[in-house]
Amino acid sequence: MKEGNDDAGTKRIEGLSEDRTISSRERARKQLSDEVETFLAQGGVIDEVDPDVSGDPPRKPQPKYGSRPI
């Protein structure tokens, strides 16, 4: 997608309307499917991750008592 300015000086993104068509979504799904098939054919493995697993490590609790100004 390309960004540009229209006559009013506001930003517009070219190709945005094309990204929303059914045919473009079908092309994206087909491309993803082909890439997954190629990955699996080369010996790749897809691991399922439990929904409660997060990539962020747990953070240390931050004390908030008295953090407001008087």
Side-chain angles (χ1 to χ4, degrees):
M1 280 186 249
K2 295 181 182 178
E3 286 186 2
N5 291 326
D6 60 9
D7 293 336
T10 58
K11 281 190 174 181
R12 62 181 164 79
I13 299 175
E14 295 176 16
L16 185 61
S17 62
E18 195 276 329
D19 290 338
R20 296 181 180 170
T21 63
I22 294 172
S23 61
S24 67
R25 291 178 183 177
E26 288 174 354
R27 282 195 306 272
R29 287 185 187 111
K30 174 80 170 110
Q31 179 182 359
L32 179 61
S33 176
D34 292 344
E35 290 175 4
V36 169
E37 287 179 18
T38 303
F39 174 74
L40 293 174
Q42 294 175 350
V45 178
I46 298 175
D47 296 326
E48 288 191 36
V49 179
D50 293 331
D52 60 340
V53 174
S54 173
D56 297 329
R59 295 190 308 175
K60 183 178 177 182
Q62 298 292 323
K64 294 192 181 210
Y65 180 77
S67 63
R68 292 181 23 196
I70 299 176

